[in-house]
Amino acid sequence: MNSLAILFSIILSVVYSEEIQSDPNGYIIFCPCMGRFGNQMDQFLGALAFAKGIGRTLVLPHLVEYPDRFSSSVQIPFQSYFKAEPLAEYTKVILMDDFMKNLAPKIWPKGNRTVFCYMSRGNANDCAAKDGNPFGPYWDKFGVDFDKSEFYAPLSFDPNFEKHRLEWKKRFPAEKYPVLAFTGAPGAFPVIETNVPLQKYIKWSDMIDFKADKFINQFKNDPKEKFIAIHLRNGIDFKRACEHVKTSKANFFASPQCLGYSQENGEMTEELCYPSEKTIFKQLGKALKKYDAQYVYIATDAEDMLVKLSKKFKNVKFTKYTENNPHVDLCILGKADHAIVNCVSSFSAFVKRQRDSENKTTEFWGFKAKKRTEL
């Protein structure tokens, strides 16, 4: 993160922290410790709904990243990537740094910090909340050690279960437990269907938005010209993961976004998970003609296919972001006139939810909805 982004985060934190009042209904704090960005944001939407459902303020977590040059995870302030204010339109939120600096010493002091988990981890009769990476580094970032563990089984995080919602308040009242600190995110992966619309409250920070707009304006000669954005999830890790499809046609990772949560739209296929070059050429060609696009933006974690695509579509300009910045990639994918993404990827799922919330068109590589038979 560059110096300007750091300065922006500090200024926002200072402004946001003025005269913070303690919430008598309590707080929810957690480590977004499952997977990378896409997984973390799926679960974040669940945490958002859970916090609102039981009436507590959600502490906006730092996001966990795994830079190649680091031996451990690093924690990036939420406000570096997203705005807090739109989330406050839905439910009560506070930045992690503000909470730890201004409220934790009073309502969650050292020596009196309880951590919550569904059941004990490993052989120990506790949550082992700081065992391993990223758990240990995450809580160490804020100087947090836990003094006690609480198990919340058999409760769920879905506030739509009224019995469970009421039981959370009954078993863990704010008077006794002002902070519910979870070892992991109190939300499901993939995101449950009822929480998908909450994506509309996720808005990019001014810094990310500025970088995306600046790059788009650089590769487009005329603001009126259209561009398509594509996400190619074609790294070796994903190719290996897609081997699973050979033995199972069930939903996989983020595939409910296209197949449906009950697979009402079809079955998992290898082409859906890891599309061939033939599929990419054919599908992109149709989209270019349909949307009369002059540019294609490529976001990928591996092979960008830029040379092959440029050779195939000679009258189209292909481009990709010049820095390794997946968040700017996501922002640009969201701004395109049309996007083609991967059904199984949680990275793509973030884009699809964002575009849906803004009524923009999106399609999936290799996906053909199952024809429904009229009864």
Side-chain angles (χ1 to χ4, degrees):
M1 187 165 56
N2 61 36
S3 57
L4 187 56
I6 293 173
L7 178 61
F8 176 77
S9 297
I10 293 173
I11 293 173
L12 178 59
S13 181
V14 170
V15 172
Y16 195 77
S17 64
E18 290 182 357
E19 299 182 3
I20 294 176
Q21 300 296 318
S22 177
D23 183 355
N25 294 312
Y27 295 82
I28 290 174
I29 187 171
F30 67 92
C31 172
C33 287
M34 177 190 150
R36 296 180 184 266
F37 179 84
N39 299 48
Q40 292 174 41
M41 293 310 296
D42 264 50
Q43 291 192 308
F44 175 78
L45 295 182
L48 198 64
F50 176 60
K52 184 177 178 66
I54 65 173
R56 288 177 176 253
T57 295
L58 180 65
V59 179
L60 300 177
H62 283 212
L63 297 173
V64 178
E65 297 186 357
Y66 305 86
D68 293 337
R69 63 185 185 277
F70 288 78
S71 59
S72 180
S73 60
V74 296
Q75 290 68 46
I76 307 299
F78 188 88
Q79 66 271 24
S80 296
Y81 300 141
F82 302 110
K83 295 177 180 177
E85 293 81 2
L87 292 167
E89 296 175 12
Y90 173 73
T91 193
K92 299 172 292 185
V93 296
I94 184 173
L95 298 174
M96 181 73 162
D97 291 330
D98 291 340
F99 174 79
M100 292 304 301
K101 177 182 178 181
N102 299 289
L103 294 176
K106 304 172 186 176
I107 67 170
W108 200 48
K110 292 183 178 182
N112 190 26
R113 291 175 173 172
T114 300
V115 66
F116 291 76
C117 56
Y118 190 80
M119 58 190 296
S120 62
R121 292 176 64 192
N123 297 322
N125 189 33
D126 61 29
C127 295
K130 296 182 66 176
D131 284 5
N133 182 35
F135 301 95
Y138 185 84
W139 295 114
D140 283 343
K141 170 73 175 179
F142 311 103
V144 171
D145 289 307
F146 295 106
D147 308 288
K148 182 183 177 183
S149 292
E150 283 278 358
F151 308 130
Y152 58 81
L155 299 181
S156 81
F157 298 129
D158 187 353
N160 293 315
F161 289 108
E162 181 68 8
K163 181 180 178 181
H164 284 203
R165 187 179 70 82
L166 295 175
E167 191 64 20
W168 274 105
K169 294 185 175 183
K170 181 179 178 181
R171 279 180 59 179
F172 307 112
E175 296 80 11
K176 185 178 179 180
Y177 301 97
V179 177
L180 298 182
F182 293 98
T183 54
F189 176 80
V191 59
I192 63 174
E193 192 169 11
T194 53
N195 291 339
V196 169
L198 298 183
Q199 184 73 29
K200 68 181 179 180
Y201 298 105
I202 307 292
K203 301 297 181 184
W204 291 109
S205 68
D206 290 338
M207 180 61 67
I208 297 295
D209 211 42
F210 171 79
K211 288 185 175 182
D213 284 339
K214 181 179 179 181
F215 188 78
I216 291 171
N217 292 333
Q218 286 176 346
F219 74 74
K220 288 176 63 175
N221 295 321
D222 184 338
K224 295 181 181 180
E225 292 178 319
K226 296 180 179 179
F227 81 98
I228 290 174
I230 63 175
H231 177 216
L232 302 177
R233 185 67 167 92
N234 53 11
I236 188 63
D237 63 324
F238 207 70
K239 185 175 183 179
R240 288 169 179 164
C242 289
E243 294 289 319
H244 165 82
V245 178
K246 294 180 180 179
T247 57
S248 175
K249 302 302 179 183
N251 267 325
F252 183 45
F253 292 165
S255 66
Q257 66 174 325
C258 70
L259 296 181
Y261 282 79
S262 299
Q263 289 195 262
E264 62 270 20
N265 298 326
E267 295 182 336
M268 176 58 59
T269 66
E270 292 182 60
E271 203 65 24
L272 198 64
C273 191
Y274 199 86
S276 64
E277 289 187 359
K278 180 180 178 180
T279 291
I280 293 170
F281 288 148
K282 182 178 180 180
Q283 206 164 330
L284 179 57
K286 288 182 177 180
L288 285 166
K289 184 177 181 180
K290 180 178 180 179
Y291 293 95
D292 190 26
Q294 294 80 38
Y295 306 91
V296 174
Y297 180 81
I298 303 171
T300 183
D301 62 325
E303 171 57 45
D304 58 36
M305 292 182 64
L306 199 150
V307 174
K308 294 178 181 177
L309 289 168
S310 297
K311 186 176 181 181
K312 178 72 174 178
F313 303 101
K314 294 183 173 61
N315 295 323
V316 177
K317 180 179 178 180
F318 290 84
T319 188
K320 63 177 183 177
Y321 197 57
T322 51
E323 301 174 23
N324 180 21
N325 192 324
H327 305 94
V328 175
D329 268 338
L330 284 166
C331 190
I332 295 175
L333 283 162
K335 290 174 179 287
D337 295 284
H338 180 69
I340 310 177
V341 299
N342 187 294
C343 170
V344 180
S345 165
S346 60
F347 190 90
S348 279
F350 182 94
V351 175
K352 178 63 163 61
R353 292 193 301 268
Q354 179 191 352
R355 294 181 63 83
D356 282 353
S357 72
E358 298 172 1
N359 296 315
K360 295 179 179 178
T361 58
T362 312
E363 63 182 288
F364 299 99
W365 298 116
F367 175 65
K368 293 180 180 179
K370 182 169 61 177
K371 293 182 179 179
R372 291 181 171 81
T373 303
E374 295 292 337
L375 297 178

